[in-house]
Amino acid sequence: MNPSGHERQGLRLFPFRGLRYVPERVGSLSAVTSPPYDVVVRPDGLDHLESADPHNIVRLILPRAGSPAARNAKAARTLRDWLAEGVLAADPEPALYVYEQRDADILQRGLIGALELSPPSAGTVLPHEDVMDHVVADRAELMRATAAHLEPLLLTYRGDGARSGATAVLERVTARPPLLSTTTEDGFSHRLWAITDTAEQAEAQADLAGRQALIADGHHRWATYLRLQQEHGTPGPWDFGLVLLVDTARYSLRVRAIHRLLRRLPVAGAVAALDGLFRVRDVPGPLPRALEALAEAAGAGNAFLLAGDGAFRLVDRPDAGLLDRTVPAGRPAAWRALDATVLHSTLLDRVWGVPDAPEDVAYLHDAGAAVEHAERTGATAVLMHPVREDVVRELAGQGVMMPRKSTSFGPKPASGLVLRSLTLG
């Protein structure tokens, strides 16, 4: 049952004709892939990816031009050109796609398909983080211009552990030769298979029909899907979104933190404002050693690591009275205890007076990049410790939203391996 008391409709995943790079028309498949748009560190990451191959997918997901309208128009023009030139081509028949990522430590497999959209009230797809409206608006403009889903969201569900249904299909399919295989510079190998047999599609679909999914990565794109569906109104291709579904009972994900860069706040000012409110201690570097100190402190309560002036400062043991005054009441205890809650409600809003706006706060997935940016620009990097997955699921199941950018699940699907055109369905 969903929170409204009505029977929940499960996941409805449909095949589609994927757009994929034609290997003969690009330097290599690894050279045209990219991390998801919000993981690319700009501008350094953009420069690197654009120089890897003139057809790198980053030219579609993060086009560069003088204005938002010009950027989106450029992406749409680029997509049309690549299709006309045969750089990208649609697969001949609709398929569900099996996607595998592997490195020395982790194996992840899942199904890529067009998921029927459902409102939050249905309880079928659970978000766990708030979104920023300007990011949703930006992604919506890009999707409108290109009429395409350029990169899949990462959704997770909990199977029953049996080797049947979707699991059985994945294991059979991955024993066959893949459609494509490549290794990206981060050391991950990527393989993709197409399921075109209708019986195998139906077997996987029947299993998923009883499942509920958690958005692991892609809250802004999911919100964008829902916004554009509402705009179009009439039934059609906008009623579906491109997703990767992973059974975490079989393939566990990593959960990492997303760090903050406070663009206009120097470290000295940040530290001075904490006097008497938090314990502040210098901890030795280098960065991996400082992050170990953060992990140890996080086991006992709220803790953050500040960097940006060449040193590392561990911030923990907040004053209980301060938290009582600043953290909103009437929420579950697990939500009130989140580091992201304390960071935004207490530190940003009340202690530092930093607006949560793009010109003031940037969100970075890589701790090293956050520190480097802070040191180069005189800003403050606030490094976070990751939230446990069970806490995320508990809150999502209660319909409670975590502060935006609270978690980073991974490994994330590489962008550029399969796209979905809204004009093909």
Side-chain angles (χ1 to χ4, degrees):
M1 301 289 282
N2 66 26
S4 66
H6 300 295
E7 185 176 353
R8 185 180 69 242
Q9 177 177 296
L11 302 169
R12 290 167 52 84
L13 191 70
F14 292 90
F16 68 102
R17 291 179 61 200
L19 295 182
R20 295 190 296 108
Y21 281 100
V22 177
E24 296 78 15
R25 299 303 307 272
V26 297
S28 70
L29 288 174
S30 63
V32 295
T33 64
S34 164
Y37 79 97
D38 58 340
V39 180
V40 176
V41 179
R42 293 178 265 193
D44 303 2
L46 273 172
D47 294 338
H48 175 70
L49 290 165
E50 286 182 345
S51 64
D53 190 283
H55 301 107
N56 189 283
I57 191 67
V58 79
R59 296 179 186 274
L60 299 182
I61 62 175
L62 288 172
R64 291 206 265 195
S67 69
R71 289 196 294 271
N72 296 324
K74 182 178 181 180
R77 184 170 59 252
T78 299
L79 179 58
R80 289 194 301 270
D81 290 346
W82 289 359
L83 288 166
E85 296 163 6
V87 174
L88 288 169
D91 283 334
E93 54 186 319
L96 296 177
Y97 295 87
V98 175
Y99 176 45
E100 176 189 278
Q101 293 166 275
R102 184 195 295 264
D103 71 357
D105 301 317
I106 195 166
L107 168 65
Q108 178 175 290
R109 288 173 176 162
L111 282 170
I112 294 176
L115 184 69
E116 185 175 71
L117 304 180
S118 58
S121 60
T124 303
V125 175
L126 299 175
H128 67 268
E129 289 184 356
D130 287 330
V131 297
M132 294 174 276
D133 189 68
H134 75 278
V135 178
V136 176
D138 174 73
R139 291 294 100 183
E141 291 292 346
L142 180 62
M143 286 187 198
R144 288 189 198 99
T146 58
H149 294 156
L150 303 173
E151 43 186 350
L153 282 65
L154 174 59
L155 306 186
T156 71
Y157 67 97
R158 298 289 294 179
D160 55 17
R163 295 192 173 186
S164 58
T167 295
V169 174
L170 261 65
E171 293 192 354
R172 286 200 304 271
V173 170
T174 53
R176 304 167 188 165
L179 275 180
L180 64 85
S181 179
T182 189
T183 300
T184 46
E185 63 181 10
D186 59 3
F188 270 94
S189 66
H190 306 261
R191 297 198 294 172
L192 191 76
W193 295 259
I195 305 173
T196 56
D197 180 83
T198 55
E200 287 188 321
Q201 291 175 356
E203 184 178 355
Q205 289 169 321
D207 182 21
L208 295 172
R211 308 295 182 191
Q212 179 186 52
L214 175 75
I215 300 177
D217 186 67
H219 283 82
H220 289 91
R221 282 167 285 162
W222 181 258
T224 302
Y225 288 167
L226 295 177
R227 177 179 294 189
L228 295 177
Q229 179 193 36
Q230 187 174 36
E231 284 182 10
H232 284 80
T234 56
W238 297 92
D239 292 324
F240 305 86
L242 181 63
V243 305
L244 166 64
L245 277 168
V246 174
D247 177 4
T248 53
R250 297 282 297 174
Y251 303 104
S252 298
L253 271 67
R254 297 170 177 153
V255 186
R256 291 178 172 163
I258 301 177
H259 311 289
R260 275 62 169 167
L261 180 72
L262 310 184
R263 301 181 189 273
R264 303 181 185 182
L265 181 65
V267 174
V271 171
L274 297 174
D275 186 40
L277 302 176
F278 284 76
R279 182 176 69 168
V280 181
R281 292 176 290 154
D282 288 345
V283 294
L287 178 58
R289 185 177 177 184
L291 288 173
E292 289 177 1
L294 173 62
E296 182 178 349
N302 300 119
F304 311 92
L305 192 65
L306 303 188
D309 61 354
F312 297 103
R313 293 174 180 85
L314 183 64
V315 176
D316 64 356
R317 296 189 184 179
D319 176 75
L322 173 68
L323 297 186
D324 287 340
R325 295 191 302 273
T326 57
V327 176
R331 298 288 191 94
W335 182 89
R336 300 186 81 247
L338 290 170
D339 286 340
T341 297
V342 172
L343 173 63
H344 286 263
S345 298
T346 302
L347 287 170
L348 294 185
D349 292 353
R350 303 292 288 276
V351 176
W352 291 329
V354 174
D356 190 3
E359 58 270 22
D360 289 282
V361 183
Y363 295 84
L364 298 176
H365 291 73
D366 183 80
V371 172
E372 189 274 329
H373 277 265
E375 291 180 345
R376 190 176 73 237
T377 62
T380 295
V382 183
L383 306 185
M384 312 281 287
H385 187 67
V387 183
R388 299 194 319 274
E389 184 179 356
D390 62 321
V391 173
V392 176
R393 288 188 178 278
E394 175 192 345
L395 290 172
Q398 297 175 39
V400 176
M401 294 296 101
M402 297 170 65
R404 63 187 63 137
K405 299 293 184 181
S406 293
T407 59
S408 176
F409 285 87
K412 303 177 188 301
S415 299
L417 296 180
V418 62
L419 293 63
R420 176 178 177 248
S421 168
L422 277 299
T423 59
L424 290 175

